[in-house]
Amino acid sequence: MKLKKFLADKIVNRTMEVIQLNVNVMDKEGIIISSSDANRINTFHEAARQVIASGEEIVLSAQESKKWTGTKPGINMPIFFEKEIVGVIGISGSPREVIPFGKAVRMMTELMLQQAYLTEQMVMEERSLSFLVQDIISGTLDPSPDVVQSRGELLGLDLSGPRSIVIVQLPQSGEWMENPYRRQWQSKMAACFHNPKQVCLSAVSHNRWIIVTDLRHCRNSHQATQYLIESALKLKNLLVPAFCDNLFITMGNHYDHIRELEYSFKEAQQTLRVLERFPDKGPICHFNDATLELMLIETPARSRQLAIQQILGNVVHHPELLDTLYALFASDLNLTIASQRLNIHRNTLLYRLERIESIIGKNPRCFADAFRIQLALEMHRLQSIGYFSQK
């Protein structure tokens, strides 16, 4: 490990907070790379070079320091990282004053090095994970799927077998996205799934996570979908207390091969569009439960308007008849249940349905006509409450 200047500065500042004495940090060449005395930075420290060569600390009195180029009285100690000398830390002052602090300062310095190394490893692993996820969801898989598979193995991930993509979007950013908070939340989120060690999470923006799930324990498509919804509910229960309930969790279909996961990602993205436009669907949605809304979103405005006019006609001007249609479809075309919903007599319901048929020329009790009427009815409902005007 190379002792970098930003870390040397951190060591100097932290040490001075504790002992309030002049401190220098030298690299393996004996050059002072950080110091409480700015004039000494980038100068040669001969005693430090000797410490690096011998591996032993050197204590210099005022008289002895005159024999060494660029030195002052004090103590100079080797800094070890995994049994290798990576630099020297020196405390300036009379030996009697600085020696009592020597061991503590050296231990603190080596602990800071170890912490910095672990943090750097975490950042590198997270960056590798982010690149891996990007390759998976981009669909290019350049390098090839086999290479991506191997990169996953280096991170402890077995990317073979069925997986799907989950998107988690939070309403705001904050300290949760900063290390070490992000790492802590990543572990908590992974624990919402069956095999956390095989769940691949990556923060792709200030408030969005991409999760590559592991579905090898699911026996069929239905079980996979149910499992994803249950896991999404766990994620919601985890995140809502910390970030309020204005979040979205969407899921794409599962696919057996890594090269197909781009489809799952696109499906999760499309489903996120639906939740952003149709909040009454709630915060959690699987792609298979958003197909109608997707069709409505992707239908041009002019086509929607024509469908409403041609299928519903003047019925849109009769709230009583619209309520009748809503009740009928909500009751799966069961007249008894629909009349109970409307709190009217069955004969009254039949009369209204006949009136609707006379206006639009379509029978709401016939499946083919009912399908068209319900689709136009949903377009009209969403348009009337302004969903299609949203961006």
Side-chain angles (χ1 to χ4, degrees):
M1 179 180 182
K2 184 178 180 180
L3 187 55
K4 299 177 181 177
K5 187 180 187 311
F6 79 90
L7 182 55
D9 290 340
K10 189 173 181 180
I11 290 170
V12 167
N13 293 333
R14 184 73 183 93
T15 304
M16 288 184 64
E17 288 175 5
V18 176
I19 64 174
Q20 296 181 343
L21 293 171
N22 291 326
V23 180
N24 306 302
V25 174
M26 286 70 76
D27 64 15
K28 292 179 69 172
E29 304 304 320
I31 303 299
I32 300 176
I33 59 174
S34 183
S35 175
S36 54
D37 180 356
N39 293 324
R40 300 189 68 187
I41 296 176
N42 294 326
T43 62
F44 178 67
H45 194 291
E46 188 178 0
R49 193 71 189 87
Q50 181 60 33
V51 169
I52 292 166
S54 66
E56 301 291 335
E57 67 181 45
I58 294 178
V59 179
L60 298 175
S61 65
Q63 188 65 30
E64 292 170 327
S65 66
K66 295 177 182 179
K67 301 176 184 178
W68 301 83
T69 303
T71 64
K72 290 186 177 183
I75 186 171
N76 297 282
M77 302 162 287
I79 303 172
F80 285 92
F81 178 76
E82 296 185 348
K83 299 181 180 181
E84 178 186 352
I85 297 177
V86 295
V88 176
I89 184 165
I91 308 173
S92 300
S94 69
R96 185 174 60 182
E97 181 182 23
V98 300
I99 287 176
F101 295 107
K103 185 175 181 180
V105 168
R106 178 174 164 181
M107 287 180 61
M108 183 181 72
T109 300
E110 291 177 353
L111 283 173
M112 290 178 69
L113 274 176
Q114 186 68 32
Q115 184 181 34
Y117 173 75
L118 291 175
T119 300
E120 186 176 319
Q121 292 299 107
M122 287 169 55
V123 170
M124 289 177 61
E125 181 179 335
E126 191 169 311
R127 191 173 298 154
S128 297
L129 198 58
S130 178
F131 288 147
L132 179 67
V133 170
Q134 190 59 44
D135 283 341
I136 289 173
I137 65 178
S138 67
T140 58
L141 286 187
D142 183 18
S144 69
D146 290 340
V147 173
V148 173
Q149 197 93 268
S150 298
R151 283 167 50 197
E153 290 174 3
L154 291 174
L155 294 169
L157 296 167
D158 181 359
L159 296 175
S160 64
R163 286 179 176 265
S164 69
I165 301 296
V166 175
I167 296 177
V168 178
Q169 179 167 292
L170 299 179
Q172 80 276 342
S173 61
E175 68 175 17
W176 75 279
M177 282 296 291
E178 304 297 328
N179 287 321
Y181 300 102
R182 183 165 58 194
R183 190 79 173 190
Q184 293 171 359
W185 279 108
Q186 180 173 321
S187 297
K188 291 178 181 179
M189 291 167 68
C192 294
F193 294 85
H194 174 72
N195 189 355
K197 291 184 178 180
Q198 288 301 313
V199 174
C200 186
L201 292 97
S202 175
V204 295
S205 69
H206 70 283
N207 68 335
R208 185 178 294 183
W209 284 86
I210 302 294
I211 304 175
V212 183
T213 66
D214 176 23
L215 302 176
R216 287 173 295 177
H217 66 286
C218 298
R219 293 190 297 271
N220 52 51
S221 177
H222 174 74
Q223 190 179 60
T225 300
Q226 192 61 37
Y227 162 72
L228 288 172
I229 293 172
E230 291 171 359
S231 298
L233 285 169
K234 292 178 183 178
L235 283 170
K236 175 178 175 289
N237 293 335
L238 169 69
L239 298 172
V240 163
F243 308 107
C244 81
D245 58 357
N246 188 22
L247 59 82
F248 299 124
I249 303 173
T250 61
M251 298 147 277
N253 282 310
H254 78 285
Y255 292 90
D256 292 331
H257 198 279
I258 189 174
R259 71 171 73 251
E260 299 173 310
L261 286 179
E262 64 163 314
Y263 305 129
S264 185
F265 173 64
K266 290 175 181 177
E267 291 165 354
Q269 274 189 314
Q270 290 176 310
T271 309
L272 184 59
R273 287 176 57 210
V274 167
L275 295 192
E276 290 173 336
R277 298 280 286 274
F278 305 108
D280 59 329
K281 288 189 72 66
I284 296 173
C285 190
H286 190 281
F287 175 73
N288 292 341
D289 297 322
T291 49
L292 176 59
E293 289 82 4
L294 277 171
M295 182 175 66
L296 295 177
I297 288 174
E298 293 171 359
T299 301
R302 177 59 180 163
S303 298
R304 289 196 302 265
Q305 191 59 42
L306 284 173
I308 294 170
Q309 291 174 354
Q310 293 175 2
I311 297 174
L312 295 182
N314 288 331
V315 167
V316 297
H317 303 302
H318 300 275
E320 182 182 81
L321 298 182
L322 290 174
D323 289 342
T324 299
L325 288 172
Y326 286 129
L328 180 68
F329 296 135
S331 305
D332 288 333
L333 304 184
N334 186 303
L335 298 181
T336 300
I337 297 176
S339 60
Q340 291 173 350
R341 282 178 181 270
L342 292 166
N343 197 26
I344 60 176
H345 194 275
R346 179 186 172 94
N347 289 339
T348 303
L349 174 60
L350 288 171
Y351 168 75
R352 290 186 184 179
L353 295 177
E354 289 173 0
R355 188 178 172 201
I356 290 171
E357 185 175 1
S358 69
I359 293 174
I360 63 177
K362 295 177 180 62
N363 182 0
R365 300 173 61 188
C366 170
F367 176 79
D369 286 348
F371 173 77
R372 293 177 176 84
I373 294 171
Q374 186 175 20
L375 184 60
L377 193 67
E378 186 67 7
M379 288 182 181
H380 172 69
R381 182 183 74 84
L382 296 175
Q383 182 168 282
S384 65
I385 57 181
Y387 278 174
F388 291 124
S389 64
Q390 298 177 29
K391 293 183 179 180

